[in-house]
Amino acid sequence: MKKFIYMFDEGNKDMKNLLGGKGANLAEMTNIGLPVPPGFTITTEACSEFYNQDKKIWDELKDEICENIKKLEEKTGKTFGHGENPLLVSVRSGAAVSMPGMMDTILNLGLNDITVESLAAITNNERLAWDSYRRFIQMFGDVVKEVPKYKFDIIMDKVKEAKGITSDLDLDVDDLKLITKKFKNLYAEETGEDFYSDPMEQLISAVKAVFNSWNNPRAIIYRELNEITGLPGTAVNVQSMVFGNMGTNSGTGVAFTRNPATGENKIFGEYLMNAQGEDVVAGIRTPESIDKLAEEMPDMFEQFMNICHTLEKHYKDMQDMEFTIERGKFYMLQTRNGKRTSKAAINIAVDMVEEGLITKEEAILRIDPKSIDQLLHKTFSKDGLKEAKEIGEGLAASPGAASGKVYFDCKSIKENGGGILVRVETSPEDIEGMNIAEGILTVRGGMTSHAAVVARGMGKCCVCGCSELTINEEKKELESRGVVIKEGEFISLDGSSGKVYLGEVPKSEIELSGAFEKFISWVDEVRTLGIRMNADTPRDCAAGLKFGAEGIGLCRTEHMFFGEERIWAVREMIVSNSRLERDRALAKIYPFQKKDFCDIFELMNGKPVNVRLLDPPLHEFLPKGEADQKKLAELMGKPFNVIQERISYLHEVNPMLGHRGCRLAITYPEIYEMQAKAIIEAAIETKEKGIEVNPEIMIPLVVEKNELKYVKERITEAIEEIFAKKKTRIDYKVGTMVEVPRACLTADEIAEEAEFFSFGTNDLTQITFGFSRDDAGKFIKEYVDKGVFEKDPFISIDKNGVGQLMKMAIEKGRKTRPNIKLGICGEHGGEPRSVEFCNELGLDYVSCSPYRLLIAKIAAAQGKIKQGK
C-alpha cells in the first residue's frame, strides 16, 4: 500500500516535493537534533489523491492517520481525545514552494468539554485551557466551516466592553468560559450542527480543510503572481502542541537570521510573552523586538541565537523561523529560506560568499532576475501607500513610481512640462509626450503594446490595460471606481503592481550599493551571452551604458521621425506622388537623421550599433485630425481634398501584415537609401573625430532572399556614393531582422545575403500564433489561467513553436555562413526564461530596453551555470 504519511524523523530537507517545505524542514531540524515538537506530515501526493477522490478523505488515509496518531501518542506520552494528559495538535499546510500566509492553520486541535478540564488540571492553568479552547473553536469554525472570523471577534469585543477592558489578557477564566459557550452557540447557528467533540473527527475535517485551502482564491492568486506551477498540492503537518500562552515564562515569536529588508547580518524579529503564534502576526497585540528577549530571558535568547547560527550554516541561506517557549523550554516550529527584498537578496548573497558559506555561482543562482527591477526605479514609500486611495488597477507594464497631473494629449503634456499621460491607447505619434511624461496610463493594451514597449525602453513607469477606467476626452476627465479626476489633478501610478492611486504618493529612493556592483561583476565573469540594448536616443544610450550595455541591438529609426521639427517633412514625403517630391522631402529629413546617428555613435564609442531601417506602416505617421491634414496641404501647396484622398489611399486594413518594413524599400527605395547614407556619413564623421564606430544596418521584415538582395543592392550603391564623396571607407555590416516564419524556413538562402540575423520575436510570435499582439491581452490570461498555455507567449518565448523556428533559422543560417552574428531584439530579450533559452540556442547576444539590461545579464549568467551542471 502506498505510504502517504511520514513521521518527522523519517524525512529530510531534500523531500520538499513530497513533504512540502514546512514538513521537510521540520524533519531536517528533528534529525540534526534541534528541539522540535514531534509530529507527522501527510504528503503532497495525498493532496493530489484527495482531489482525485472528489475532495474526500478516503478510508485508507483515515486508517494511516490513526496509526500515526498512535505513534505520536507513544512519542509524547499523551493520549489523543481523552485521558489525564491530552494530546493536542496543530494542523498546518506546507507546499513544496513557500507560500507564506496563503493557506490555513488550526491550533489546539483535540480540545473538547472533557479534554479542556484535563488540560487545566495537568498544567495547573485553567485560564490557559479555556483560552486555548476558545481559540480552537474560532479557528476551526473559520477554516473548516467557513464561519466568518469577524463574528467571533464581535463576541469577544462585547464581553470585553461589558467588563470595561481592552486586552484579551485581562479576560479571566469565567470570561473565557462564557466566550467559549457563546462561540459554540454561534458555530451551531451558522453550521446547523453542534461543535465536533470527537478529536479524530476534528482532525479528519481539519486535514480536509487544509487540502481545500490549496485552491482558495488567495493561494491561487499567489501562485499566479509568483509563477508557481506544476505542484501536486500542499502537504499537511500534524504536530503536537506546545503552548506559548502558559504564563510569563512562555511566549512565541517569528524571526529572520538576517534583516529581510536590508540584508544586514543581524537577527530580525518579534515575539510576545504569554501568547500563541497567531497573536504575533495578527496584530492583536504589539510584539517586542527580538533583541529584548536577551534582557527578558537571556538563556532562551542564547539558545535561540545558537539555533540561528546552526540553521544558517546548515541551509547556507537566511532563515525565516517560528518558535515557542513553553515554561522556559525552547521549541522550533518552523524554518524556511526567508523572503527578502531584492536589495537584501543581493547583500545577503555577497556577504555569504565572503563568509565562505556559498560560491559565487550559488550566489548568482539565488537572485531572481526580475526582482532587480525594484532596485532600478523609484518606489512609493510603505507609509505613503498605507494612506493612499486606490482608484484602479491594470497591467504592471513598466516598473517605477510616478505622480503627476493628468493630461490626455501630448500637446498638453509638452505645454505643462510633464505629468501623467492618460490615453485609451498610445501610438508612435505620442512618442514626444511619452518622453516628457512622468508616467503613462492606458485603458487598452497588453504587456507588449506600444505604450508598454516604449515605456520600458525609456525606463518610464507605465500601467496598461486599466479597463475599469473611463476617459471623457471632451470634458477632459477620467472616472474610475466612482472617482472623477479632471485634467490637471494629480494621480500616482505604481508600474510594479499596476495600481493607480488618487493624488501624490510619497516616494523613496533606492541606490545601487557596493555589494550590487560586486555581484554584477561576478555575473559578467560567468556569462558568455552578450547583452545589448534597444536604444533610439542619446538618453537611452546613456542609461544603458550605465548598466553595462555592450552595444545597441536595436535602434528604431521611426522614433526619430516624430519630433515637431521633422514630422511634417516625413508626412510630406509619405503623401508625395513622385520620386522627385519624395527626394525633396527626404532631403529635409536627412540632416536630422545624420545628427541622430552622430550623437549615438559618439556615445557608443566603438560598440556595435544595429540600426533598423524604417519599419512601421506609413499611415502611422500621417495626421489624423482635419486641422493637421489642412496644415499639411498648405505646406505642400496642394488642395485639401488631394491630401485627404492620398491619406485614405494609404490606410490599410491589417497594417501589421501590410506595406511596411522592407516592402516600403521595394516600393520606395529612396527612403532606405537616405537612411543608409545618413548612417554611413555619420559614422565617417564620428571616426574623423578619433572615435571608433561599428555600424550594423538591419533590413526588417524580410521573407525572401531576392527581396533582401534587391534592397541591399540599393543601399550599398547609396553607401558607395558616400564613400566616393568622403574619399574614405569604413567597415559596416548589412543583415536582417528575422520575424516571419518564412524567413526561418529559408534562412539558409537569406544568409547568402545577410551578415547577421536579429530575431524580432514580437512579430515572430504574433505571426506564428496568428494572434494580434495588441489585442491578445484580452484573452491570453484566460489561456494561462485555464492551463492551456503555461506562459503568455508574448512575455516568455514559446519554445515549442517560435523557439523551434528560431533553432531552425540558426542551424540553416550557420550552415550557409558559419560566422553569421545572431541576436534577438524583441521584448523577450529582457525576460529571464527567454534569455536562458537564447543562451541554450547559442545566440551571440540578446538586446533589451536599458532598464532590463541587468535582468538579462543575471539570467544569462544563470543559464550558463545551469548549462554546466
Side-chain angles (χ1 to χ4, degrees):
M1 190 175 77
K2 190 175 181 66
K3 182 178 174 72
F4 283 112
I5 298 179
Y6 290 76
M7 297 296 291
F8 289 166
D9 55 12
E10 294 180 296
N12 60 61
K13 66 181 173 63
D14 299 322
M15 296 171 69
K16 280 187 179 181
N17 287 337
L18 183 65
L19 302 180
K22 194 187 301 286
N25 288 331
L26 284 167
E28 189 74 9
M29 287 195 293
T30 298
N31 290 326
I32 63 173
L34 297 186
V36 176
F40 57 83
T41 301
I42 306 171
T43 65
T44 58
E45 290 179 350
C47 183
S48 180
E49 182 62 23
F50 168 77
Y51 284 97
N52 292 338
Q53 296 275 354
D54 198 24
K55 297 197 211 177
K56 289 179 181 149
I57 304 293
W58 61 104
D59 290 341
E60 290 81 3
L61 183 61
K62 287 179 185 177
D63 293 342
E64 201 172 346
I65 290 171
C66 289
E67 287 170 19
N68 282 274
I69 282 289
K70 286 176 186 172
K71 291 179 185 177
L72 195 53
E73 287 177 326
E74 290 170 12
K75 284 181 179 289
T76 60
K78 299 178 180 181
T79 52
F80 189 57
H82 58 87
E84 295 179 356
N85 191 3
L87 171 63
L88 306 182
V89 297
S90 63
V91 180
R92 309 172 92 186
S93 63
V97 177
S98 176
M99 297 169 58
M102 291 303 109
M103 292 175 292
D104 294 320
T105 295
I106 299 169
L107 304 179
N108 308 318
L109 189 143
L111 282 171
N112 55 29
D113 292 348
I114 297 170
T115 54
V116 68
E117 299 289 357
S118 300
L119 181 64
I122 197 167
T123 60
N124 196 27
N125 190 332
E126 197 174 10
R127 189 190 183 284
L128 160 76
W130 286 95
D131 184 41
S132 300
Y133 196 12
R134 67 93 185 166
R135 289 172 186 266
F136 171 49
I137 295 166
Q138 181 170 1
M139 295 179 92
F140 190 89
D142 175 25
V143 172
V144 177
K145 294 297 184 178
E146 298 181 351
V147 179
K149 184 177 179 294
Y150 77 87
K151 293 190 177 184
F152 293 102
D153 291 336
I154 289 170
I155 292 171
M156 289 277 289
D157 291 341
K158 283 182 177 177
V159 172
K160 286 188 286 186
E161 186 180 346
K163 287 201 67 175
I165 59 176
T166 56
S167 171
D168 293 357
L169 291 176
D170 294 328
L171 294 166
D172 60 27
V173 172
D174 289 336
D175 298 329
L176 291 167
K177 286 181 177 180
L178 175 63
I179 288 168
T180 302
K181 182 179 178 182
K182 288 179 178 289
F183 276 10
K184 288 203 281 188
N185 289 340
L186 173 66
Y187 180 96
E189 289 168 13
E190 293 285 327
T191 64
E193 59 186 18
D194 290 336
F195 185 73
Y196 294 173
S197 60
D198 178 3
M200 189 55 71
E201 192 175 6
Q202 293 172 358
L203 180 56
I204 297 299
S205 298
V207 170
K208 180 178 178 181
V210 173
F211 282 158
N212 276 322
S213 75
W214 175 249
N215 280 330
N216 71 30
R218 67 180 185 270
I220 291 170
I221 291 167
Y222 185 91
R223 291 198 293 275
E224 286 176 3
L225 292 176
N226 292 276
E227 299 179 3
I228 298 170
T229 58
L231 300 183
T234 181
V236 180
N237 297 289
V238 179
Q239 187 172 25
S240 54
M241 284 294 302
V242 287
F243 296 93
N245 56 339
M246 272 198 175
T248 55
N249 63 347
S250 302
T252 188
V254 175
F256 297 82
T257 54
R258 304 188 189 216
N259 189 307
T262 66
E264 182 186 5
N265 190 1
K266 182 184 175 186
I267 193 77
F268 178 93
E270 297 174 323
Y271 76 100
L272 274 172
M273 299 308 292
N274 198 16
Q276 283 201 318
E278 78 220 56
D279 297 334
V280 179
V281 294
I284 298 166
R285 290 164 53 193
T286 303
E288 299 283 356
S289 169
I290 196 73
D291 296 333
K292 198 173 177 188
L293 187 62
E295 302 170 19
E296 197 164 357
M297 301 184 79
D299 291 346
M300 292 296 95
F301 184 76
E302 184 181 355
Q303 186 179 350
F304 181 48
M305 290 304 296
N306 289 336
I307 289 171
C308 288
H309 295 314
T310 298
L311 287 173
E312 257 211 5
K313 193 171 180 182
H314 188 76
Y315 283 95
K316 299 183 178 181
D317 203 352
M318 182 261 275
Q319 294 299 292
D320 169 5
M321 304 157 296
E322 291 181 21
F323 65 88
T324 285
I325 301 167
E326 182 184 275
R327 289 179 170 177
K329 186 169 182 184
F330 198 93
Y331 293 97
M332 289 296 295
L333 303 183
Q334 173 175 288
T335 193
R336 62 188 173 200
N337 293 340
K339 302 287 183 186
R340 63 207 80 177
T341 65
S342 54
K343 178 181 179 181
I346 295 288
N347 289 337
I348 290 169
V350 170
D351 283 349
M352 286 190 165
V353 171
E354 294 179 342
E355 292 163 21
L357 280 173
I358 59 175
T359 65
K360 291 177 183 179
E361 288 76 15
E362 286 172 321
I364 290 168
L365 288 173
R366 283 196 181 171
I367 303 303
D368 176 5
K370 289 178 298 193
S371 72
I372 298 304
D373 260 349
Q374 294 174 24
L375 295 178
L376 306 182
H377 300 271
K378 288 181 181 179
T379 58
F380 291 125
S381 69
K382 289 181 181 177
D383 290 339
L385 285 177
K386 284 178 186 174
E387 302 296 324
K389 179 180 176 64
E390 185 181 324
I391 59 169
E393 185 172 359
L395 298 172
S398 184
S403 297
K405 293 179 179 178
V406 166
Y407 295 105
F408 298 95
D409 58 75
C410 293
K411 183 181 177 186
S412 299
I413 285 276
K414 286 191 282 183
E415 287 173 353
N416 290 279
I420 304 292
L421 179 63
V422 181
R423 305 283 277 164
V424 174
E425 58 191 351
T426 63
S427 72
E429 201 165 348
D430 293 320
I431 196 80
E432 272 194 303
M434 294 173 75
N435 189 45
I436 296 166
E438 273 76 39
I440 299 131
L441 172 64
T442 70
V443 177
R444 292 204 294 261
M447 295 294 280
T448 57
S449 64
H450 177 267
V453 171
V454 173
R456 282 195 290 271
M458 292 177 169
K460 295 277 183 184
C461 169
C462 179
V463 174
C464 284
C466 189
S467 56
E468 59 190 310
L469 214 70
T470 302
I471 295 176
N472 188 322
E473 293 190 2
E474 188 178 343
K475 289 186 178 180
K476 290 194 174 290
E477 64 183 33
L478 66 87
E479 188 272 331
S480 184
R481 298 187 186 178
V483 178
V484 176
I485 295 137
K486 298 183 182 299
E487 187 167 84
E489 294 181 347
F490 277 89
I491 64 170
S492 296
L493 309 180
D494 189 340
S496 301
S497 69
K499 295 184 186 296
V500 184
Y501 299 96
L502 185 65
E504 288 187 89
V505 179
K507 300 183 189 73
S508 58
E509 295 282 348
I510 299 178
E511 294 184 2
L512 302 183
S513 66
F516 185 86
E517 291 171 357
K518 186 175 288 187
F519 177 79
I520 291 299
S521 73
W522 298 342
V523 164
D524 288 339
E525 285 172 22
V526 168
R527 68 179 171 84
T528 53
L529 188 66
I531 310 293
R532 296 197 196 179
M533 62 175 150
N534 300 342
D536 317 322
T537 66
R539 174 182 159 178
D540 294 342
C541 295
L545 289 170
K546 183 173 71 176
F547 298 132
E550 296 166 337
I552 294 177
L554 176 63
C555 178
R556 304 174 180 91
T557 52
E558 61 270 12
H559 286 176
M560 301 171 172
F561 285 4
F562 280 101
E564 186 66 29
E565 74 281 8
R566 55 184 87 176
I567 187 64
W568 293 101
V570 173
R571 288 167 172 170
E572 186 181 330
M573 179 267 294
I574 292 169
V575 299
S576 295
N577 280 314
S578 69
R579 169 79 191 239
L580 183 64
E581 285 183 338
R582 277 191 295 278
D583 283 342
R584 192 183 301 133
L586 288 166
K588 296 178 186 178
I589 302 167
Y590 184 82
F592 293 119
Q593 281 269 276
K594 190 177 83 168
K595 175 153 191 330
D596 290 332
F597 296 131
C598 282
D599 292 343
I600 289 172
F601 286 140
E602 200 165 320
L603 267 172
M604 295 310 294
N605 194 23
K607 290 182 172 64
V609 176
N610 188 307
V611 182
R612 183 180 72 185
L613 301 183
L614 190 65
D615 183 45
L618 294 178
H619 82 274
E620 286 195 8
F621 300 96
L622 294 175
K624 295 174 178 63
E626 191 173 293
D628 281 344
Q629 290 174 358
K630 284 181 177 176
K631 181 178 177 180
L632 181 59
E634 289 170 16
L635 284 172
M636 296 187 69
K638 292 191 174 186
F640 176 50
N641 68 306
V642 171
I643 296 299
Q644 275 193 313
E645 286 172 10
R646 181 66 175 159
I647 289 173
S648 177
Y649 171 76
L650 289 168
H651 176 75
E652 296 184 77
V653 175
N654 195 349
M656 290 307 290
L657 298 179
H659 194 196
R660 54 171 282 228
C662 67
R663 298 159 196 176
L664 292 171
I666 300 290
T667 312
Y668 310 118
E670 55 271 23
I671 297 175
Y672 278 16
E673 289 167 9
M674 178 277 289
Q675 290 192 296
K677 285 181 180 180
I679 293 166
I680 296 302
E681 189 166 358
I684 290 170
E685 290 182 11
T686 304
K687 191 171 183 181
E688 286 170 350
K689 293 179 183 178
I691 299 168
E692 285 299 310
V693 289
N694 188 358
E696 300 172 350
I697 299 172
M698 181 156 68
I699 299 167
L701 215 67
V702 165
V703 298
E704 159 65 41
K705 180 187 82 169
N706 290 330
E707 187 180 38
L708 177 59
K709 184 179 179 184
Y710 174 84
V711 176
K712 183 181 175 183
E713 285 172 355
R714 301 288 80 73
I715 64 174
T716 302
E717 287 171 13
I719 289 168
E720 289 299 325
E721 286 181 31
I722 296 297
F723 288 161
K725 173 184 163 186
K726 292 286 188 177
K727 296 184 173 56
T728 188
R729 304 182 71 84
I730 61 163
D731 291 330
Y732 68 94
K733 289 184 173 66
V734 177
T736 186
M737 198 167 182
V738 177
E739 50 195 323
V740 177
R742 192 179 191 278
C744 298
L745 295 166
T746 60
D748 49 345
E749 298 173 10
I750 291 172
E752 293 172 21
E753 299 292 335
E755 294 175 89
F756 64 82
F757 288 165
S758 180
F759 290 97
T761 51
N762 294 352
D763 272 343
L764 188 56
T765 299
Q766 175 172 238
I767 299 170
T768 301
F769 277 91
F771 291 157
S772 163
R773 75 189 206 209
D774 290 323
D775 299 310
K778 295 171 185 174
F779 59 84
I780 285 287
K781 188 176 183 300
E782 292 292 321
Y783 273 59
V784 177
D785 289 348
K786 291 170 180 174
V788 179
F789 288 166
E790 183 185 347
K791 293 277 292 180
D792 180 342
F794 289 106
I795 292 176
S796 189
I797 288 176
D798 159 46
K799 294 182 184 180
N800 291 338
V802 174
Q804 292 307 304
L805 287 170
M806 292 172 68
K807 187 176 181 183
M808 180 190 301
I810 291 165
E811 291 170 355
K812 283 174 171 280
R814 282 187 171 144
K815 187 175 181 182
T816 298
R817 192 184 291 263
N819 64 343
I820 193 168
K821 189 178 286 187
L822 300 165
I824 175 178
C825 61
E827 278 299 292
H828 297 99
E831 194 273 327
R833 290 190 192 185
S834 302
V835 173
E836 285 196 31
F837 182 59
C838 291
N839 188 81
E840 280 177 43
L841 290 176
L843 295 187
D844 295 300
Y845 68 87
V846 297
S847 187
C848 57
S849 71
Y851 290 89
R852 290 178 121 183
L853 282 165
L854 294 174
I855 294 173
K857 281 189 173 191
I858 295 167
Q862 290 178 345
K864 186 66 179 175
I865 293 166
K866 290 172 187 175
Q867 256 188 332
K869 284 191 171 183

